[in-house]
């Protein structure tokens, strides 16, 4: 029983996240961003790292440090003028950013920098991000192009261990050309996509905060897997055999 929970937990949290579409100039907020600093009521509160992935319809954020604040969230997105309206779908920060919470951000983008501000119970929060330039987009403010068919925003529908259904709790995944993000209720994962050869995909762990044994999946750990698209590209199955039994996670495409 414990091994079933362990393997299903790994599958639930290990895979991810993100579809960038071609942008109009008004969609300069779309892309992959790294937080430089954050403020409360114009007072500098710190420079703890956080990453942000924004697509045409999804807002995904991971706070990497300090450890007690590390968590991730994935939200739906609609845009009106300079306002990003988000509604949290999945969060591993339930005490501060519960599922269902709505946050409206005001954004400004200039010279590769984005400023996000929003109102909180503590006052006005301001965050400043720098755009991460991806391979294939030198100096571009456009979203990252995709060289493989797996890019997209996905919702996990089921996890199977050895062919047996073990979980149906929702999690979201965002897959870009070079990155894989996963956010579930318990934790998040961020991995780099190292190579894609038809259905064989090799990932490298960047960071996760999942409740696993000490030293499990450290930064730099390589994670091979088999990815299969079916139902005209609307269903993604990720098959992991690294743990002695096949763990299959099924996703449906959101975008």
């Amino acid at each position: 029983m414990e091994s079933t929970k362990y393997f299903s937990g790994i599958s639930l949290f290990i895979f991810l996240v993100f579809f960038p579409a071609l942008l109009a100039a008004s969609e300069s907020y779309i892309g992959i961003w790294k937080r430089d600093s954050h403020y409360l009521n114009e007072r500098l509160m710190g420079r703890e790292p956080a990453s942000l992935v924004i697509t045409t319809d999804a807002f995904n954020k991971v706070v990497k440090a300090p450890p007690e604040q590390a968590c991730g969230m994935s939200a739906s997105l609609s845009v009106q003028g300079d306002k990003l309206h988000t509604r949290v779908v999945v969060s591993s920060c339930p005490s501060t950013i519960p599922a269902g919470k709505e946050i409206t951000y005001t954004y400004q983008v200039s010279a590769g920098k984005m400023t996000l501000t929003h109102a909180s119970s503590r006052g006005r929060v301001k965050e400043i991000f720098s755009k991460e330039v991806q391979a294939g987009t030198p100096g571009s403010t456009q979203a990252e192009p995709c060289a493989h068919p797996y890019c997209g925003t996905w919702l996990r529908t089921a996890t199977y261990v050895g062919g047996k259904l073990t979980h149906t709790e929702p999690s979201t995944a965002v897959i870009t050309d070079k990155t894989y993000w996963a956010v579930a209720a318990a934790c998040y994962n961020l991995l780099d996509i190292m190579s894609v050869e038809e259905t064989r995909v090799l990932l490298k762990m960047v960071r996760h905060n999942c409740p696993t044994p000490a030293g499990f999946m450290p930064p730099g750990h390589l994670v091979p897997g088999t990815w299969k698209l079916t139902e005209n590209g609307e269903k993604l199955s990720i098959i992991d055999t690294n743990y002695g039994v096949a763990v299959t996670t099924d996703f449906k495409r959101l975008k």
Side-chain angles (χ1 to χ4, degrees), residues 161-184:
V161 178
K164 181 181 178 180
L165 178 65
T166 57
H167 278 294
T168 57
E169 292 89 344
S171 66
T172 57
V174 176
I175 301 172
T176 72
D177 189 51
K178 298 295 183 183
T179 58
Y180 176 103
W181 301 59
V183 177

Side-chain angles (χ1 to χ4, degrees), residues 63-138:
V63 177
K64 302 176 182 178
E68 66 275 10
Q69 294 180 16
C71 65
M73 68 92 151
S74 182
S76 61
L77 174 68
S78 62
V79 183
Q80 291 180 311
D82 64 348
K83 299 292 191 293
L84 306 180
H85 302 287
T86 68
R87 182 180 179 86
V88 178
V89 177
V90 178
S91 172
S92 62
C93 343
S95 62
T96 55
I97 312 176
K101 182 173 183 176
E102 296 182 356
I103 305 173
T104 295
Y105 298 89
T106 299
Y107 79 93
Q108 293 180 327
V109 177
S110 177
K113 297 279 188 178
M114 178 170 65
T115 300
L116 290 182
T117 59
H118 73 277
S120 75
S121 59
R122 300 171 59 201
R124 181 174 179 268
V125 176
K126 180 173 72 173
E127 298 174 283
I128 299 177
F129 296 84
S130 295
K131 174 157 274 188
E132 294 189 2
V133 177
Q134 300 295 309
T137 57

